Amino acid sequence: MKNLNNIDETLPFIGEFGLYQIIVIAIFCLITIPGTFQSLMIYFVAANPAWKCVENSTTCNLIGTFESGDKNYTMRCNMPRSEWKFVEEYEYSIVTQFGLFCENESLIFVSHSLLFAGSAVGSLICGWLADKYGRRQLLIPCNIVVISVAFASAFSPTYWLFACSRFVVGFFGGTTLAIMFILSSELVGSRYRPTAGIVLWFFFTFALVMLGLVAMKVRKWKMLMIVSTAPYFLVIPLLFFIPESLRWMHLNRKMEQLHRDIQRIAKINGKEPLLIELSPLNEKELSVKPWMLFSTKKMAFTTLSIGFAWFINGLVYYGLSVAVDNLSNHFYRNYILSSLIELPAILIGILGATYVGRKCTVVYPMLLAGLLCALVTVIDEKETRQRFINTRVVLGLFGKFFVTLSYDTIYTWTVELFPTQIRTEALGYVLIASRIGGMFSPWISKWLRVIHWRVPFVMMGVLTIVSALLMHWLPETKEKATLEKLEDSMQVEENKL
């Protein structure tokens, strides 16, 4: 019998990254797809199409079509509704079906924001529940609700019923990817964490690209919602094969279940049966309170700095995703390109976090993303020469590339900055910050264009650079043991003093 202190010491004996971990992560990758669809589904569902004058109109005498953001786009608001029409059909989006134009146009941004508002609230509540009752106990019902409500929202008879469904999807969906990331990261050895966690982003990006390709063919928003949710009811049974976190079971003294799972993992990974004795933790170590994130000066600085970084990553990632149509008039092409650019970012994120370090792979890409956002404004929006338009598109895409690289890697870094005892609580907190950033993204990228088209990119660029500079003071966690208890991090702090 081997007496061990924590899961990190146990994993080498049962397999740090074997067949068992591969199967579980593969299930997570598949389950990632339907939830990912919902994160940017509103880009197409709430698309604001071009308009033109009706034939033989006596009031509207403008020639051609006018895209969203065009200087003549708002002129329709001074005309009777019968004198102009959308170039797309009635069921193209919620804009055309529910009349979200002119005085109701702000409701487009509301529909964008409600998903993230629900996610912010859900991350707070579900993060606490996951820490208290288990990761798996939350993951299963949350995924079922997300797929079911997203499917049902396709039949919404009114805008506000659809908007409420967005909030519900965000509430239950905001934590699912985070929980899967935590489970993946906690199930493998330290050197495999970047691969185990960031590989989920390959499927996140795959889902985004798939969504763009499907949306090109399915031009009715209700059918797009159905096609993007109905097939994934088939993945629900896979949820019941997902294990509970070994670290959570140890921390919460579920010793009998923990020993069974350890033996099962060893067997599937082809390891020799081994009797391992893990000492249960005491009552004091089980207490989880939100204010533990601010229990020391160092922990408070870490919490605030990493929270601000998540806010900026959410703001800029989703802001650039929504603003890609500001770079040129190719709506679907720009969306698909901005999604494809994430694939090399994910690969570099895995390699960078594994061999260079978590910190460098977050901080420096954020600096570059901020600079590229600012550079977009150098080329005037009225520029018509194709080479300058293409340059603006390239700058925007590489801005998306670097913020994606930072956003993907910051998950691994955050997981390792906080001890297991408050890890889900911490990830819930940073997810709230991220979702608030996402909630503001359409208002920054679209609404601030009213002031000047350069304002959104300048604001995103400056905030990103400031966040990167703040994170410079946070520690590197590459190849360092995972802290189990809050007291462990306090001890490390005392030793450095």
Side-chain angles (χ1 to χ4, degrees), residues 49-80:
W51 67 274
K52 63 181 180 179
C53 297
V54 299
E55 295 180 4
N56 304 319
S57 172
T58 57
T59 303
C60 185
N61 54 13
L62 299 173
I63 299 174
T65 60
F66 305 97
E67 301 286 342
S68 175
D70 187 281
K71 63 180 181 179
N72 293 320
Y73 192 78
T74 58
M75 290 184 65
R76 60 186 178 163
C77 298
N78 299 320
M79 306 175 192

Side-chain angles (χ1 to χ4, degrees), residues 83 94 128 264 283 321 386:
E83 300 300 309
I94 62 172
W128 176 79
R264 185 170 75 248
E283 288 290 339
S321 297
Q386 191 61 45

Side-chain angles (χ1 to χ4, degrees), residues 154-341:
F155 304 95
S156 302
T158 65
Y159 166 78
W160 285 111
L161 187 58
F162 173 80
C164 289
S165 73
R166 290 284 85 194
F167 183 88
V168 174
V169 168
F171 183 94
F172 288 96
T175 312
T176 55
L177 186 57
I179 292 176
M180 288 190 287
F181 188 92
I182 290 175
L183 284 170
S184 298
S185 300
E186 293 183 343
L187 198 59
V188 300
S190 175
R191 62 176 175 158
Y192 298 106
R193 282 192 206 117
T195 302
I198 298 177
V199 73
L200 296 180
W201 295 116
F202 274 108
F203 283 81
F204 182 92
T205 300
F206 172 74
L208 293 181
V209 175
M210 188 192 306
L211 174 63
L213 294 174
V214 172
M216 287 179 68
K217 300 296 182 181
V218 182
R219 295 295 186 97
K220 295 181 179 181
W221 76 270
K222 290 189 174 184
M223 185 54 66
L224 181 60
M225 292 294 296
I226 293 171
V227 169
S228 300
T229 52
Y232 297 95
F233 281 106
L234 297 176
V235 308
I236 289 178
L238 295 177
L239 294 168
F240 295 92
F241 290 94
I242 294 171
E244 185 52 85
S245 163
L246 299 181
R247 299 181 193 278
W248 182 88
M249 287 188 288
H250 182 216
L251 189 65
N252 288 271
R253 302 194 296 181
K254 309 290 184 182
M255 305 309 293
E256 184 177 346
Q257 181 183 352
L258 175 61
H259 290 146
R260 286 201 306 268
D261 283 1
I262 285 174
Q263 296 306 318
R264 185 170 75 248
I265 293 171
K267 181 179 180 180
I268 295 176
N269 284 343
K271 298 288 185 177
E272 291 294 328
L274 182 67
L275 187 57
I276 296 174
E277 185 64 34
L278 275 166
S279 303
L281 304 176
N282 59 47
E283 288 290 339
K284 183 179 179 181
E285 294 166 340
L286 301 179
S287 178
V288 178
K289 300 292 186 298
W291 50 84
M292 287 180 173
L293 296 172
F294 304 90
S295 54
T296 67
K297 288 183 179 180
K298 181 181 177 181
M299 183 66 72
F301 179 78
T302 299
T303 299
L304 293 173
S305 299
I306 208 74
F308 183 64
W310 277 75
F311 169 81
I312 297 303
N313 269 306
L315 173 67
V316 178
Y317 175 85
Y318 289 105
L320 288 177
S321 297
V322 173
V324 289
D325 59 323
N326 295 348
L327 303 173
S328 73
N329 291 327
H330 297 279
F331 180 66
Y332 292 98
R333 185 203 68 178
N334 287 351
Y335 170 84
I336 293 172
L337 286 176
S338 73
S339 298
L340 284 172
I341 198 71

Side-chain angles (χ1 to χ4, degrees), residues 438-481:
M439 187 169 62
F440 280 107
S441 63
W443 300 92
I444 296 293
S445 60
K446 296 291 187 181
W447 188 69
L448 284 183
R449 281 173 58 85
V450 175
I451 300 173
H452 195 280
W453 74 270
R454 287 187 171 95
V455 173
F457 292 101
V458 170
M459 180 172 288
M460 287 189 289
V462 171
L463 289 173
T464 303
I465 292 171
V466 170
S467 176
L469 294 175
L470 281 173
M471 286 192 296
H472 174 72
W473 302 101
L474 297 180
E476 175 60 75
T477 58
K478 176 177 174 284
E479 296 181 353
K480 292 184 179 179

